[in-house]
PDB file of all heavy atoms in Angstrom:
ATOM      1  N   ARG A1513      -9.733   2.906 -25.937  1.00 84.00           N
ATOM      2  CA  ARG A1513     -10.200   4.265 -25.748  1.00 84.00           C
ATOM      3  C   ARG A1513      -9.228   5.304 -26.296  1.00 84.00           C
ATOM      4  O   ARG A1513      -9.634   6.218 -26.999  1.00 84.00           O
ATOM      5  CB  ARG A1513     -10.502   4.523 -24.283  1.00 84.00           C
ATOM      6  CG  ARG A1513     -11.383   5.737 -24.100  1.00 84.00           C
ATOM      7  CD  ARG A1513     -11.188   6.348 -22.741  1.00 84.00           C
ATOM      8  NE  ARG A1513      -9.846   6.845 -22.634  1.00 84.00           N
ATOM      9  CZ  ARG A1513      -9.097   6.722 -21.557  1.00 84.00           C
ATOM     10  NH1 ARG A1513      -9.549   6.119 -20.501  1.00 84.00           N
ATOM     11  NH2 ARG A1513      -7.888   7.211 -21.542  1.00 84.00           N
ATOM     12  N   VAL A1547      -4.124   8.577 -22.091  1.00 83.00           N
ATOM     13  CA  VAL A1547      -4.031   7.290 -21.413  1.00 83.00           C
ATOM     14  C   VAL A1547      -4.883   7.320 -20.150  1.00 83.00           C
ATOM     15  O   VAL A1547      -5.681   6.443 -19.887  1.00 83.00           O
ATOM     16  CB  VAL A1547      -2.562   7.001 -21.049  1.00 83.00           C
ATOM     17  CG1 VAL A1547      -2.480   5.837 -20.110  1.00 83.00           C
ATOM     18  CG2 VAL A1547      -1.771   6.729 -22.311  1.00 83.00           C
ATOM     19  N   CYS A1548      -4.714   8.385 -19.369  1.00 84.00           N
ATOM     20  CA  CYS A1548      -5.475   8.506 -18.133  1.00 84.00           C
ATOM     21  C   CYS A1548      -6.447   9.656 -18.320  1.00 84.00           C
ATOM     22  O   CYS A1548      -6.033  10.813 -18.385  1.00 84.00           O
ATOM     23  CB  CYS A1548      -4.534   8.795 -16.974  1.00 84.00           C
ATOM     24  SG  CYS A1548      -5.399   9.142 -15.452  1.00 84.00           S
ATOM     25  N   SER A1549      -7.733   9.342 -18.437  1.00 77.00           N
ATOM     26  CA  SER A1549      -8.657  10.439 -18.698  1.00 77.00           C
ATOM     27  C   SER A1549      -8.994  11.191 -17.427  1.00 77.00           C
ATOM     28  O   SER A1549      -9.270  12.370 -17.454  1.00 77.00           O
ATOM     29  CB  SER A1549      -9.915   9.932 -19.397  1.00 77.00           C
ATOM     30  OG  SER A1549     -10.551   8.976 -18.598  1.00 77.00           O
ATOM     31  N   CYS A1550      -8.960  10.504 -16.284  1.00 77.00           N
ATOM     32  CA  CYS A1550      -9.248  11.221 -15.037  1.00 77.00           C
ATOM     33  C   CYS A1550      -8.294  12.397 -14.861  1.00 77.00           C
ATOM     34  O   CYS A1550      -8.673  13.451 -14.378  1.00 77.00           O
ATOM     35  CB  CYS A1550      -9.101  10.307 -13.830  1.00 77.00           C
ATOM     36  SG  CYS A1550     -10.422   9.110 -13.679  1.00 77.00           S
ATOM     37  N   ASN A1551      -7.038  12.175 -15.185  1.00 80.00           N
ATOM     38  CA  ASN A1551      -6.042  13.199 -14.906  1.00 80.00           C
ATOM     39  C   ASN A1551      -5.446  13.799 -16.163  1.00 80.00           C
ATOM     40  O   ASN A1551      -4.450  14.501 -16.112  1.00 80.00           O
ATOM     41  CB  ASN A1551      -4.941  12.622 -14.016  1.00 80.00           C
ATOM     42  CG  ASN A1551      -5.519  12.155 -12.701  1.00 80.00           C
ATOM     43  OD1 ASN A1551      -5.939  12.959 -11.896  1.00 80.00           O
ATOM     44  ND2 ASN A1551      -5.600  10.847 -12.528  1.00 80.00           N
ATOM     45  N   ALA A1579      -0.964   9.898 -13.411  1.00 86.00           N
ATOM     46  CA  ALA A1579      -1.708   8.889 -14.172  1.00 86.00           C
ATOM     47  C   ALA A1579      -2.054   7.734 -13.248  1.00 86.00           C
ATOM     48  O   ALA A1579      -1.220   7.278 -12.461  1.00 86.00           O
ATOM     49  CB  ALA A1579      -0.874   8.387 -15.345  1.00 86.00           C
ATOM     50  N   GLY A1580      -3.293   7.297 -13.338  1.00 80.00           N
ATOM     51  CA  GLY A1580      -3.684   6.104 -12.583  1.00 80.00           C
ATOM     52  C   GLY A1580      -4.010   6.362 -11.140  1.00 80.00           C
ATOM     53  O   GLY A1580      -4.261   5.426 -10.390  1.00 80.00           O
ATOM     54  N   THR A1581      -4.024   7.634 -10.704  1.00 74.00           N
ATOM     55  CA  THR A1581      -4.217   7.872  -9.280  1.00 74.00           C
ATOM     56  C   THR A1581      -5.676   8.126  -8.903  1.00 74.00           C
ATOM     57  O   THR A1581      -5.974   8.326  -7.743  1.00 74.00           O
ATOM     58  CB  THR A1581      -3.381   9.086  -8.807  1.00 74.00           C
ATOM     59  OG1 THR A1581      -3.687  10.181  -9.667  1.00 74.00           O
ATOM     60  CG2 THR A1581      -1.906   8.798  -8.894  1.00 74.00           C
ATOM     61  N   SER A1582      -6.588   8.140  -9.906  1.00 71.00           N
ATOM     62  CA  SER A1582      -7.994   8.380  -9.530  1.00 71.00           C
ATOM     63  C   SER A1582      -8.797   7.091  -9.596  1.00 71.00           C
ATOM     64  O   SER A1582      -8.841   6.344  -8.653  1.00 71.00           O
ATOM     65  CB  SER A1582      -8.595   9.470 -10.394  1.00 71.00           C
ATOM     66  OG  SER A1582      -7.832  10.653 -10.257  1.00 71.00           O
ATOM     67  N   CYS A1583      -9.427   6.804 -10.765  1.00 68.00           N
ATOM     68  CA  CYS A1583     -10.283   5.610 -10.813  1.00 68.00           C
ATOM     69  C   CYS A1583      -9.453   4.344 -10.988  1.00 68.00           C
ATOM     70  O   CYS A1583      -9.914   3.257 -10.677  1.00 68.00           O
ATOM     71  CB  CYS A1583     -11.291   5.730 -11.935  1.00 68.00           C
ATOM     72  SG  CYS A1583     -10.574   5.478 -13.567  1.00 68.00           S
ATOM     73  N   GLY A1584      -8.224   4.484 -11.499  1.00 66.00           N
ATOM     74  CA  GLY A1584      -7.349   3.323 -11.614  1.00 66.00           C
ATOM     75  C   GLY A1584      -7.586   2.470 -12.847  1.00 66.00           C
ATOM     76  O   GLY A1584      -6.853   1.518 -13.093  1.00 66.00           O
ATOM     77  N   SER A1585      -8.592   2.814 -13.667  1.00 66.00           N
ATOM     78  CA  SER A1585      -8.892   1.925 -14.792  1.00 66.00           C
ATOM     79  C   SER A1585      -7.780   1.941 -15.836  1.00 66.00           C
ATOM     80  O   SER A1585      -7.658   1.030 -16.630  1.00 66.00           O
ATOM     81  CB  SER A1585     -10.229   2.302 -15.431  1.00 66.00           C
ATOM     82  OG  SER A1585     -10.094   3.511 -16.141  1.00 66.00           O
ATOM     83  N   CYS A1586      -6.946   2.960 -15.821  1.00 75.00           N
ATOM     84  CA  CYS A1586      -5.895   3.042 -16.825  1.00 75.00           C
ATOM     85  C   CYS A1586      -4.599   2.369 -16.378  1.00 75.00           C
ATOM     86  O   CYS A1586      -3.635   2.301 -17.127  1.00 75.00           O
ATOM     87  CB  CYS A1586      -5.606   4.513 -17.135  1.00 75.00           C
ATOM     88  SG  CYS A1586      -5.049   5.405 -15.679  1.00 75.00           S
TER      89      CYS A1586
HETATM   90  S1  LIG C 221      -8.282   6.981 -16.092  1.00 67.76           S
HETATM   91 FE1  LIG C 221      -8.940   7.146 -14.025  1.00 67.76          FE
HETATM   92  S2  LIG C 221      -7.044   7.126 -12.977  1.00 67.76           S
HETATM   93 FE2  LIG C 221      -6.411   7.104 -15.000  1.00 67.76          FE
END
Side-chain angles (χ1 to χ4, degrees):
Chain A
R1513 198 205 65 221
V1547 168
C1548 173
S1549 59
C1550 287
N1551 299 291
T1581 52
S1582 302
C1583 75
S1585 72
C1586 61

